DNA sequence: CAAGATTGAGAGTTCAATCTTC
DNA sequence: GAAGATTGAACTCTCAATCTTG
């Protein structure tokens, strides 16, 4: 069942490829995650920061957060700005290191994170129900082959 | 009210989260596409616009382009601003409809698009080589189940 | 000088409002 | 009024430069 791939380098604008359908699927999925979180008033980056703070169960420095979210520090500066404006986190000084600023989650932030996690669980439930185990492991295999 | 029960959210998403690995894989893949296009001086949105113009083989209005890329019209206004600054497209008036502005690809834009397509083909080659047909069709199945 | 965070500029995206033209 | 495009504001992200502190 392999009679595609006729001209490898010749045809430029002949779209076929699974690679782009995977990309498209990811966009769709990401959209669903965004919608789910949006219904509780959170964005994906905001939810990610709150989740890290909840799972650490302690304030984290902006540098640590940037590392965990795999983004640049200046990004975290602005993201925490918005979270602070929303009242979901609070900047606290680090007595150990006067250069450092830590983000501490507020009660409101904790509640938002829990609400977001709830929505994400629901989404995951629906997703899992519509996919059988064989396909699931095939995807896992394909994904790890990607790195 | 909110007794944070760690076992509730933490253990639930730990063992079984294909949804998130798919999301992660998409990020990785998207990063590779970005890198490939960046090597010829293009971003993904810019390449997409150029490709649409090449495949249409005629100028397209900004509204048409926004529709094809599934984005908002105001987005296309700014994107075409940047493409015009790069000398890759040119705004031309539509004699049929004085409200409308069309984007016409330049020779330089055509060359850039071809270079980008070349890089993407190479990427696709490498990807296809590392995926067998069974896994490929599993992905297709999973993707259609997603909508 | 290193490591923390911040600022400024720019790319990309969305939405709401506006302006011109049909 | 409805459909073209544009502008302004907001969010997310990156990079380069800067400022403070170790």
């Amino acid at each position: 069942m392999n009679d595609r791939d006729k001209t490898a380098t010749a045809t430029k604008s002949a779209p076929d490829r699974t690679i782009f359908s995977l990309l498209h699927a990811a966009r769709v999925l990401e959209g669903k995650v965004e919608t789910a979180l949006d219904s509780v008033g959170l964005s994906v980056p905001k939810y990610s920061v709150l989740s890290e703070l909840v799972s650490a169960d302690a304030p984290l420095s902006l540098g640590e957060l940037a590392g965990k979210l795999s983004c640049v520090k200046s990004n975290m500066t602005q993201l925490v700005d918005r979270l602070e404006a929303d009242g979901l986190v609070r900047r606290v000084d680090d007595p150990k290191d006067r250069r450092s600023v830590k983000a501490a989650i507020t009660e409101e932030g904790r509640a938002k994170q829990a609400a977001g996690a709830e929505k994400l669980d629901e989404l995951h439930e629906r997703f899992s129900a519509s996919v059988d185990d064989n396909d699931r492991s095939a995807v896992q295999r394909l994904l790890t082959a990607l790195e």
Side-chain angles (χ1 to χ4, degrees), chain A:
Chain A
M1 60 181 285
N2 193 358
D3 47 20
R4 54 201 335 294
D5 186 39
K6 321 173 169 193
T7 46
T9 43
T11 44
K12 308 282 197 214
S13 42
D16 43 285
R17 67 275 175 151
T18 38
I19 188 175
F20 293 114
S21 24
L22 195 63
L23 233 28
H24 175 256
R27 287 188 62 83
V28 173
L29 201 52
E30 202 154 26
K32 289 183 190 258
V33 171
E34 281 168 12
T35 303
L37 290 177
D38 186 65
S39 71
V40 302
L42 284 177
S43 66
V44 174
K46 285 179 178 178
Y47 172 78
S48 302
V49 169
L50 295 180
S51 288
E52 289 297 339
L53 291 176
V54 165
S55 109
D57 201 28
L60 296 175
S61 79
L62 301 208
E64 285 169 331
L65 282 170
K68 286 181 188 288
L69 296 213
S70 300
C71 71
V72 174
K73 279 172 293 177
S74 62
N75 190 0
M76 197 50 63
T77 295
Q78 300 168 272
L79 186 46
V80 169
D81 282 348
R82 287 172 234 124
L83 282 165
E84 209 170 15
D86 293 344
L88 305 183
V89 306
R90 214 173 54 242
R91 274 183 168 85
V92 296
D93 291 331
D94 185 352
K96 307 279 192 182
D97 188 340
R98 285 234 277 274
R99 296 173 300 182
S100 177
V101 177
K102 288 179 179 262
I105 195 167
T106 64
E107 278 314 308
E108 195 181 345
R110 221 178 274 277
K112 283 272 190 194
Q113 192 279 335
E118 174 93 22
K119 292 288 179 182
L120 254 35
D121 275 350
E122 290 172 21
L123 180 63
H124 187 250
E125 285 297 314
R126 270 173 293 156
F127 179 76
S128 298
S130 65
V131 176
D132 75 74
D133 290 338
N134 289 336
D135 287 0
R136 194 183 326 228
S137 48
V139 173
Q140 288 290 3
R141 210 157 44 240
L142 192 144
L143 266 34
T144 53
L146 208 65
E147 316 289 316

